[in-house]
Amino acid sequence: MTVNYMREMEKEIEDDRQKGVRRRLLMHACCAPCTSGCLSVVAPHFDVSLFFYNPNMDTGSEYDKRYEELVRFVKLLKESGEEGMEDVSVFQSGYDHGNWLSKVSGLENEPEGGKRCAACFRERLDRTFREAVERSFDCVTTTLTLSPRKNAQLINAIGEELSETYGIHWLPSDFKKKDGFLRSVRLSEKYGLYRQDYCGCEFSREGRLSGPGEQAG
Ligand code: SF4
């Protein structure tokens, strides 16, 4: 059964509003363009911290470029005066591509969207949950569901499973809905954001299945 995870998130937001609750949300952020399409949905309702954990990047320079662009974007947002943006923070994990390669070992030749990507999602979300436990967040989500190329049903299923493991709530999402992806394209243009043309790993770069405008995975 296909679940409308955007609607599930909206129900939670409405529930919080009725209770007068504002939770601390740790949002895994893959890049500035995807984050742009997600923050306007959650920042008015949660205290949001962005966690840049993307060891899937094929090079350290690409990792640095995407992280620095995210930091620059958050700074611009804070200056914009938009609702909820003043308290958004961002931090990173450091780049450990060797460890990531070990997690996808044997899956190198999988097509984009296949088993390698499932392992990649799991690795990045698992680390995000661990950070959430250490820093006492109330809930976790990810910008990964913004991309039309990524399977939001799978990402949410992994999130729900990890939520059971770590005892931290998974905030369901499907940020591409309600023109989320289009919003990210427009915001990327507005803020002049770097929009990469491949998902992130060397296998996606070599495959170049995505055309210009693909956002990080
Ligand atoms: S294509 Fe993207 S989501 Fe899939 S393994 Fe590579 S970086 Fe991860």
Side-chain angles (χ1 to χ4, degrees):
M1 184 185 72
T2 302
V3 178
N4 185 334
Y5 286 104
M6 189 65 188
R7 195 174 298 147
E8 297 294 307
M9 175 188 278
E10 288 170 344
K11 280 187 210 161
E12 290 202 22
I13 288 173
E14 177 56 21
D15 198 38
D16 282 354
R17 194 189 65 76
Q18 288 188 10
K19 291 177 184 160
V21 169
R22 188 175 172 90
R23 289 180 285 172
R24 293 184 70 227
L25 172 66
L26 185 59
M27 183 156 74
H28 165 258
C30 58
C31 64
C34 287
T35 302
S36 75
C38 305
L39 260 184
S40 56
V41 176
V42 292
H45 311 288
F46 297 87
D47 288 339
V48 182
S49 290
L50 300 169
F51 179 44
F52 187 85
Y53 179 62
N54 301 297
N56 49 317
M57 296 298 109
D58 57 337
T59 64
S61 59
E62 183 68 19
Y63 176 92
D64 289 342
K65 194 171 179 181
R66 294 190 194 190
Y67 179 63
E68 284 161 15
E69 192 66 341
L70 180 64
V71 170
R72 185 180 75 86
F73 173 59
V74 169
K75 185 168 179 288
L76 290 172
L77 276 181
K78 283 172 174 288
E79 293 167 359
S80 73
E82 284 180 47
E83 185 186 4
M85 301 302 178
E86 63 277 6
D87 294 326
V88 174
S89 61
V90 55
F91 64 102
Q92 63 158 326
S93 60
Y95 178 62
D96 185 357
H97 191 53
N99 177 55
W100 181 84
L101 283 172
S102 72
K103 303 288 181 181
V104 301
S105 177
L107 304 172
E108 294 84 352
N109 295 323
E110 283 280 317
E112 195 165 332
K115 290 179 183 169
R116 186 187 67 247
C117 296
C120 179
F121 299 152
R122 179 174 293 280
E123 166 59 16
R124 288 188 280 170
L125 292 181
D126 187 274
R127 176 62 190 271
T128 306
F129 269 96
R130 282 192 275 137
E131 286 291 331
V133 170
E134 281 179 22
R135 295 169 187 255
S136 303
F137 279 87
D138 299 311
C139 44
V140 166
T141 195
T142 178
T143 60
L144 288 170
T145 61
L146 183 100
S147 170
R149 293 178 180 275
K150 292 184 172 52
N151 184 338
Q153 300 293 310
L154 173 63
I155 293 166
N156 279 282
I158 293 170
E160 286 167 358
E161 190 188 318
L162 292 170
S163 172
E164 291 283 316
T165 303
Y166 288 100
I168 296 261
H169 183 68
W170 169 252
L171 181 70
S173 78
D174 196 350
F175 286 111
K176 74 177 75 58
K177 289 195 180 293
K178 299 204 166 174
D179 288 333
F181 184 72
L182 183 62
R183 186 170 59 250
S184 78
V185 171
R186 288 184 177 147
L187 284 167
S188 297
E189 286 171 2
K190 177 180 174 182
Y191 288 99
L193 301 179
Y194 163 56
R195 295 184 73 231
Q196 55 280 346
D197 66 357
Y198 69 110
C199 188
C201 67
E202 48 272 67
F203 315 113
S204 64
R205 187 189 59 202
E206 286 158 14
R208 293 274 176 183
L209 294 176
S210 54
E214 166 64 23
Q215 297 183 357

